[in-house]
Amino acid sequence: MVKHISSFGRNGVHDFLLIRATAIIMTLYTIYLVSFCAFSDISYVSWTQFFGGTFTKVFTMLALMSVLIHAWIGLWQVLTDYIKCAKLRGGLQLGVIAVLFGYFFSGLFILWGA
């Protein structure tokens, strides 16, 4: 039996609820972006004004965090189900964490400007 020491949530129900909550946030963000693209004349000026607003920046960071949490829980489940060697699984999980942190900081610096 694999212990869930590195699971994002405290148990399976918590992970299940996190997956559903992040999916809802990602769906709302997709609707937000699609509605902007559908009802706006897309140009560089309109795009920079759209992403220059505080609401869009915060919503984008929330959506990015949702994607990262969603990805971590899904990849953690796949790795614990299919990789039985603890050392290999730990190394792969460490690699996934490093990539996800890289995505987070990239999004942070790109969105908020460093």
Side-chain angles (χ1 to χ4, degrees), residues 29 32-33 50-61 111:
Y29 185 72
Y32 181 64
L33 280 181
F50 178 69
F51 275 100
T54 305
F55 177 77
T56 302
K57 287 183 179 183
V58 170
F59 198 20
T60 301
M61 282 307 297
L111 188 62

Side-chain angles (χ1 to χ4, degrees), residues 14-28 62 66 69-70:
H14 193 252
D15 284 347
F16 177 82
L17 292 174
L18 278 173
I19 288 285
R20 296 313 181 259
T22 57
I24 290 169
I25 291 169
M26 290 185 291
T27 302
L28 292 173
L62 182 64
S66 296
I69 291 169
H70 200 92

Side-chain angles (χ1 to χ4, degrees), residues 22 26 37 41 48-49 56 77 88 94 97 112:
T22 57
M26 290 185 291
C37 292
D41 183 31
T48 54
Q49 287 176 348
T56 302
Q77 289 175 349
L88 177 60
L94 185 64
I97 289 169
W112 293 96

